[in-house]
Amino acid sequence: IQDMSSAVSVFILVSLVAVSGFHLVWALGITYPAADQKSLARTVTGFRGRDNMPPRATSAFVALAALICALWPYVMTGKLFTGFPAWLITLGGFTLTLIFGARGIAGFTAWWRALTPEQPFARFDRAYYSPLCLALGLSFFILTIGRLS
């Protein structure tokens, strides 16, 4: 179980540090990997008629949130000390399970597709974004259940 927790923690760390890095780049106003704001917005937000990225502060907030989520497995496994009570650490793991799981599931619903129909987002969402969120949700679930045993 220790090896599985370590592997799951590394998967979460690598995935969410990458997500955090992209959002930090966008917070700095860089449109990578797109050529301009409009194509970036249609690649990473997918909302109908969106010609601009959300405000830079929003991207910075998401970058910070993703980084905290990336480190949370190490809080859950006791490798990163925060001083938080055990119940709060477990609640955090459960909350992240729900957030990532719900986002992953949403990407496969007609409701979400109607809300975010822009291409290439819709294609990338089904192929990459939603499956990644499901995998992250499952990973946080594994770590959370491990805390309860």
Side-chain angles (χ1 to χ4, degrees):
I1 293 200
Q2 181 69 20
D3 288 340
M4 184 161 75
S5 291
S6 294
V8 168
S9 295
V10 169
F11 166 72
I12 292 171
L13 179 72
V14 170
S15 299
L16 290 177
V17 164
V19 168
S20 179
F22 276 111
H23 283 84
L24 180 59
V25 165
W26 301 332
L28 296 173
I30 300 167
T31 60
Y32 180 83
D36 55 39
Q37 283 278 324
K38 184 176 182 177
S39 58
L40 182 62
R42 292 195 172 162
T43 301
V44 302
T45 70
F47 293 103
R48 186 181 312 281
R50 181 120 200 178
D51 291 334
N52 294 307
M53 286 292 287
R56 289 183 183 187
T58 302
S59 291
F61 174 79
V62 174
L64 179 60
L67 187 58
I68 291 168
C69 293
L71 296 174
W72 201 254
Y74 296 94
V75 173
M76 293 178 71
T77 59
K79 293 178 182 161
L80 181 61
F81 179 75
T82 61
F84 296 151
W87 69 266
L88 185 59
I89 293 169
T90 303
L91 179 61
F94 181 69
T95 301
L96 292 172
T97 296
L98 292 178
I99 289 169
F100 284 105
R103 171 56 184 89
I105 291 168
F108 296 101
T109 66
W111 169 81
W112 183 254
R113 197 55 43 233
L115 189 63
T116 58
E118 295 291 345
Q119 293 294 349
F121 175 85
R123 185 176 66 252
F124 290 162
D125 190 35
R126 287 248 166 119
Y128 306 110
Y129 309 151
S130 290
L132 175 60
C133 286
L134 286 172
L136 288 167
L138 178 61
S139 297
F140 278 110
F141 178 74
I142 289 166
L143 293 177
T144 303
I145 292 302
R147 286 184 59 81
L148 298 176
S149 24

